[in-house]
Amino acid sequence: MEEKIAKPAGIPILRVASGNIRNDALNPDHRFASMPLHILNKDGRPGMTRRQCTGEYKIKPIKHKVRELLGYPYPARIPKGVFVEQWVGISTDEFHRAKDADVKYMRNRHPLLDMRWSRTECVRHLTSLGLADTPKSSCLGCPFHGNAQWRNIRDTSQSEWADVVEFDAAIRQGNARANASGNRLLGEAFLHRSRVPLSQAPIDHVTAAERAALHIGADEADVLENGVEDGCSPWSCRGDSDALTRDDFGLAT
């Protein structure tokens, strides 16, 4: 779909990657950038692991590609005033998630904010183009998913649902490398915030926020669960406390 829209407009689509977080988490020989897993400690208290996945699997490979496009791959220093402009799709409903890039050779712009477009305007425009079902960006097994997203995976793709259920079970005792080195978690890890196996999690529970969204129309509000927006992208991921603040190769910016 992306190619069908971009190619006629002369816009190239570049895909970057930094491994597969699912495979890396289950590989004891790989350094795993931790996901924000929901933890049930041995004393019954809830917790959450530190989030490093956005920086490692999204921001870092984008920076690699940007340096390549600018013609200054590591270890070359990028001259002052040389930069790329990135357009990030943050609507007015989520203006608080609009952030600057953390390096000088990348400058973020937010065209939807410039146009004062809310989620409503975005959906209306996409509908006019026959693209009303365009989903928000997020990883398949993200622990930040709300019930609506988990239900959507379960009800629309049996293979993806089976994959996340299997991964949830495999990650129960933490990532494989930590286990191999004897550093097991002091509790159990889960993908769902209820901290029960995903196959048993209460994902059919419709939250008050979901009910409110249904009453005023899906085009009128984003679904919030426990105050967290569904959807995630490199410079607008929920909880950016660990976002990379230095060049990914260790160079000060």
Side-chain angles (χ1 to χ4, degrees):
M1 176 63 75
E2 295 92 342
E3 285 80 0
K4 290 181 179 179
I5 297 172
K7 188 173 181 179
I11 301 173
I13 293 181
L14 306 176
R15 290 185 169 86
V16 299
S18 183
N20 181 301
I21 192 170
R22 185 188 191 283
N23 294 340
D24 293 347
L26 303 178
N27 180 0
D29 297 322
H30 190 279
R31 184 190 69 80
F32 175 54
S34 67
M35 300 167 61
L37 298 169
H38 301 282
I39 302 299
L40 183 63
N41 292 296
K42 289 185 176 181
D43 61 3
R45 291 183 303 167
M48 202 163 196
T49 57
R50 185 167 178 260
R51 181 185 64 81
Q52 298 172 303
C53 47
T54 296
E56 183 72 19
Y57 290 91
K58 295 181 181 180
I59 296 178
K60 185 175 180 178
I62 290 174
K63 287 179 175 179
H64 273 277
K65 176 56 68 173
V66 166
R67 279 181 159 272
E68 177 185 311
L69 294 173
L70 289 175
Y72 295 96
Y74 178 78
R77 286 192 173 275
I78 301 176
K80 183 178 181 180
V82 175
F83 63 91
V84 298
E85 183 177 275
Q86 299 183 123
W87 288 21
V88 185
I90 298 295
S91 62
T92 57
D93 312 79
E94 300 177 344
F95 71 91
H96 57 284
R97 293 171 67 183
K99 298 177 175 65
D100 292 329
D102 57 348
V103 288
K104 294 178 181 178
Y105 60 84
M106 302 168 76
R107 297 184 184 180
N108 289 351
R109 278 195 57 189
H110 302 90
L112 297 179
L113 295 183
D114 294 341
M115 296 188 296
R116 299 180 184 277
W117 274 25
S118 67
R119 178 78 173 165
T120 302
E121 279 76 36
C122 293
V123 172
R124 183 179 296 128
H125 182 64
L126 289 170
T127 300
S128 72
L129 299 175
L131 303 172
D133 294 330
T134 302
K136 282 191 173 185
S137 169
S138 65
C139 297
L140 179 63
C142 180
F144 280 137
H145 281 343
N147 284 348
Q149 283 182 296
W150 287 124
R151 287 197 303 272
N152 182 64
I153 295 171
R154 181 196 64 188
D155 298 342
T156 61
S157 176
Q158 291 184 351
S159 61
E160 290 183 339
W161 178 246
D163 184 72
V164 292
V165 167
E166 179 184 2
F167 179 62
D168 172 71
I171 204 71
R172 190 74 67 238
Q173 297 301 325
N175 75 75
R177 179 162 182 169
N179 290 346
S181 62
N183 297 319
R184 298 175 73 88
L185 293 174
L186 299 178
E188 295 183 306
F190 302 86
L191 290 183
H192 192 268
R193 61 170 56 98
S194 64
R195 295 172 176 82
V196 299
L198 186 57
S199 60
Q200 304 169 28
I203 66 173
D204 286 311
H205 171 66
V206 178
T207 65
E210 279 189 86
R211 290 195 295 272
L214 290 172
H215 280 301
I216 61 178
D219 293 354
E220 299 294 329
D222 290 323
V223 174
L224 302 179
E225 299 194 57
N226 292 349
V228 176
E229 302 95 337
D230 283 341
C232 183
S233 62
W235 274 272
S236 61
C237 193
R238 291 150 295 182
D240 282 323
S241 61
D242 66 339
L244 299 183
T245 55
R246 297 171 64 86
D247 196 332
D248 46 302
F249 301 103
L251 294 176
T253 59

